[in-house]
Coordinates of all heavy atoms in Angstrom, one line a residue:
Chain O
V66 N -92.9 0.6 0.7 CA -93.5 1.8 0.1 C -95.0 1.5 -0.2 O -95.2 0.6 -0.9 CB -92.7 2.3 -1.2 CG1 -93.3 3.5 -1.7 CG2 -91.2 2.6 -0.7
A102 N -100.5 16.6 14.5 CA -100.3 15.6 15.5 C -101.4 15.7 16.6 O -101.9 14.6 17.1 CB -98.9 15.7 16.3
I104 N -104.6 16.8 16.0 CA -105.7 16.2 15.5 C -105.7 14.7 15.4 O -106.6 14.0 15.8 CB -106.0 16.7 14.0 CG1 -106.4 18.2 14.3 CG2 -107.1 15.9 13.4 CD1 -106.6 18.9 13.0
R142 N -78.3 17.9 -8.0 CA -77.4 16.8 -7.5 C -77.1 17.1 -6.0 O -76.9 18.2 -5.6 CB -76.2 16.7 -8.3 CG -75.3 15.6 -7.8 CD -74.3 15.1 -8.9 NE -75.0 14.7 -10.1 CZ -74.5 14.6 -11.4 NH1 -73.1 14.9 -11.5 NH2 -75.2 14.3 -12.4

Side-chain angles (χ1 to χ4, degrees):
Chain O
V66 179
I104 288 173
R142 183 154 304 162

